[in-house]
Amino acid sequence: MNPIKPTQKMKTEEPPDREATPKAKSKFLTRLQRYGVPLLLVVVASHQFYRVHADGLSSWRGGGFGMYGGYHPTQNDLWWTNTETGESVRYTKKKGVATEDDRYRSLRPFLTYVNGPSLSRYFSNLPREVQETTRVEIWQLDFDPTTGILGRRLLLSEGTEETKGVEQ
Amino acid sequence: MIATLAKKAALGTERLTLLAHSDTKAQTDSLLLSLRVSAIVFLTYFFTTSRLNENFQMLGIIALFASIVFFETIAKRWWTWATVATCLLVGIAMRPIDVPNHHYVLFYASLALAVCLGAEPARRAELIQINFRWIIVAIMGIATIQRLVQPTFMSGDYLGLETALGGFANPILKFFPEQLAIANANKELVEGFRNTPPAVQSTVALTSPFPGLPFIAHGFMVVILAIEAWVCLLMWKFPKHWITHFSIMAFGASLAILRQELTFISILCLLGLLACDPRSKRIRFAYAAIALVIGAAVVKTIVMPGPMR
């Protein structure tokens, strides 16, 4: 009986190459094809959610599917008041209706995206004499179904007279 | 005995092949139908909301979608839908806070079609079902969460105002002339109120067209939340069940009655068509029929507008 020579090495099979990279890529691609677009939707909507609650973006816009969550942007009014004469002009975003005064067209985004810093920046770019005699306010409707009373809520104000108790 | 077994095996294989072939054929037919309906719904949206003033641009859009409807090879190419997605993305990039949510939905739909049609032919049908199933789940789930965290919605304030102004259930309101007159009177009051400077007039009293306005407002709130959450849950757990698709159609019908959101209903039916089982002929037919009829109604309102609401 021949003893097994201690120097004889048992041939063992090399572990197979895992080739994990192509398989992992294929798995990732499959998952991307299945869930990539719905995930993109969730990411965009999450971003919109943040902008609604942090920046005053209307819940009706921005791809967040928040329609009927609050008042529509067309239910916001922008009032441009000349503090010297007391004359006030209303601007609102009406569907399909061109604004009567082109001056206010640049103010349109503020009705959808009530953002304090943006309105300040806009206001500071106006001529000095206009800044000194103008107040711009953004108002939103506020209805109480219990009493049937429709009021208004001031969202933002910019101008010569700082309105007390600005709400957002 | 072996010969008998071999004969049976051959017969079984033949039957299975026929079944698979008809299955594949059903999937192919379903896909083609879905793509053609998609093209018509997309075209309807572009036609009704596009700001393309130049005739040649609109002609290009019509040519693109007409080619999808009439040419199968163009409809099934991933780059066709990638082109559509790019056009929609340009619109979003230019006016991200102005474009309606339908625009976003159509962008996701076209992108999903491009991704799915770029895959191997054997996996396309499955990929389309999965994509659109999760798109519907995401939209309904997010919409529900959005409303839950909005105090104006949960308190019924906004819904109460829309009810007082006749913005809800307008087709039904036409059968109640007294209530319709009250709603119209409220609209005039509100318009007058909004035209008056805030310093001059701070409030106005509206008359409720129906008794129990707070109850109605809260009722609308509960129904909207419940139906959206219900559709989300059903599509998540039972994407192929007929009850799921019936619920989606019922949701669309409720939108048609309450708000006449015709464009969104046709898009919703399109999503349902793409998410349903290709073998469910009745469900597919129902979705396609609703989407096309609603699309025609939308175009009709643009071409032959009625009185302003």
Side-chain angles (χ1 to χ4, degrees), chain A residues 7-135:
Chain A
T7 54
Q8 222 175 15
K9 284 182 186 173
M10 297 293 288
K11 273 190 180 175
T12 53
E13 282 186 15
E14 296 270 339
D17 277 338
R18 296 194 68 186
E19 294 189 9
T21 308
K23 275 188 185 171
K25 267 189 186 169
S26 171
K27 212 174 180 180
F28 174 72
L29 190 65
T30 306
R31 282 193 181 156
L32 192 65
Q33 286 173 329
R34 287 180 165 202
Y35 309 116
V37 176
L39 198 61
L40 175 65
L41 188 158
V42 170
V43 167
V44 170
S46 303
H47 176 67
Q48 187 266 8
F49 189 86
Y50 165 75
R51 288 170 79 185
V52 165
H53 294 277
D55 271 353
L57 174 65
S58 170
S59 62
W60 287 74
R61 292 287 184 257
F65 310 107
M67 302 86 71
Y68 305 100
Y71 294 100
H72 195 274
T74 54
Q75 288 167 327
N76 290 348
D77 294 319
L78 189 145
W79 283 92
W80 186 284
T81 303
N82 185 320
T83 51
E84 281 192 344
T85 63
E87 186 198 350
S88 290
V89 179
R90 173 195 168 212
Y91 174 78
T92 190
K93 182 180 172 184
K94 262 193 165 176
K95 242 194 224 183
V97 176
T99 179
E100 290 173 5
D101 194 329
D102 287 342
R103 270 190 310 173
Y104 304 122
R105 194 167 284 179
S106 56
L107 293 164
R108 196 170 146 175
F110 298 118
L111 294 168
T112 306
Y113 198 173
V114 181
N115 183 320
S118 292
L119 187 59
S120 300
R121 203 179 315 127
Y122 169 84
F123 202 79
S124 63
N125 288 330
L126 292 172
R128 197 89 183 134
E129 56 274 16
V130 174
Q131 286 186 46
E132 287 170 357
T133 58
T134 301
R135 185 172 66 249

Side-chain angles (χ1 to χ4, degrees), chain B residues 24-246:
Chain B
T24 309
K25 189 176 182 308
Q27 287 184 350
T28 309
D29 289 345
S30 168
L31 176 62
L32 201 52
L33 170 70
S34 307
L35 294 175
R36 285 173 169 156
V37 172
S38 303
I40 293 171
V41 171
F42 275 75
L43 181 57
T44 306
Y45 173 73
F46 272 101
F47 182 73
T48 58
T49 60
S50 175
R51 293 186 182 192
L52 300 173
N53 297 318
E54 301 293 326
N55 288 335
F56 75 91
Q57 288 175 337
M58 197 60 217
L59 279 174
I61 296 285
I62 292 171
L64 172 64
F65 289 114
S67 63
I68 294 173
V69 172
F70 293 113
F71 298 106
E72 186 179 329
T73 46
I74 294 177
K76 287 183 176 177
R77 293 283 179 258
W78 69 268
W79 42 259
T80 305
W81 297 99
T83 306
V84 174
T86 306
C87 293
L88 291 162
L89 185 61
V90 166
I92 292 171
M94 287 171 63
R95 302 176 291 126
I97 63 168
D98 258 350
V99 294
N101 287 314
H102 317 325
H103 196 111
Y104 282 87
V105 176
L106 288 174
F107 166 67
Y108 298 129
S110 53
L111 186 63
L113 283 172
V115 166
C116 299
L117 292 172
E120 302 96 58
R123 292 178 51 227
R124 283 177 190 170
E126 181 214 359
L127 277 175
I128 287 176
Q129 273 185 268
I130 291 172
N131 266 270
F132 284 91
R133 171 194 175 192
W134 289 109
I135 285 175
I136 294 175
V137 169
I139 290 173
M140 291 297 158
I142 289 166
T144 307
I145 293 168
Q146 285 267 21
R147 305 200 210 311
L148 280 170
V149 299
Q150 286 281 354
T152 315
F153 178 82
M154 294 303 287
S155 62
D157 291 356
Y158 171 70
L159 296 173
L161 178 63
E162 283 299 309
T163 307
L165 299 179
F168 276 166
N170 200 263
I172 296 174
L173 209 58
K174 287 172 186 166
F175 294 102
F176 299 91
E178 212 178 291
Q179 282 70 28
L180 186 61
I182 294 172
N184 289 335
N186 284 335
K187 272 190 219 173
E188 285 182 22
L189 271 175
V190 170
E191 196 53 33
F193 171 66
R194 292 177 70 181
N195 277 324
T196 310
V200 174
Q201 186 182 5
S202 60
T203 60
V204 67
L206 303 182
T207 312
S208 174
F210 302 99
L213 185 61
F215 177 75
I216 293 170
H218 282 98
F220 274 138
M221 182 259 288
V222 168
V223 166
I224 289 168
L225 281 175
I227 204 165
E228 283 178 346
W230 175 246
V231 168
C232 174
L233 193 66
L234 281 181
M235 184 51 85
W236 180 11
K237 291 294 182 189
F238 309 105
K240 294 185 182 178
H241 205 282
W242 68 268
I243 288 181
T244 304
H245 298 283
F246 179 76

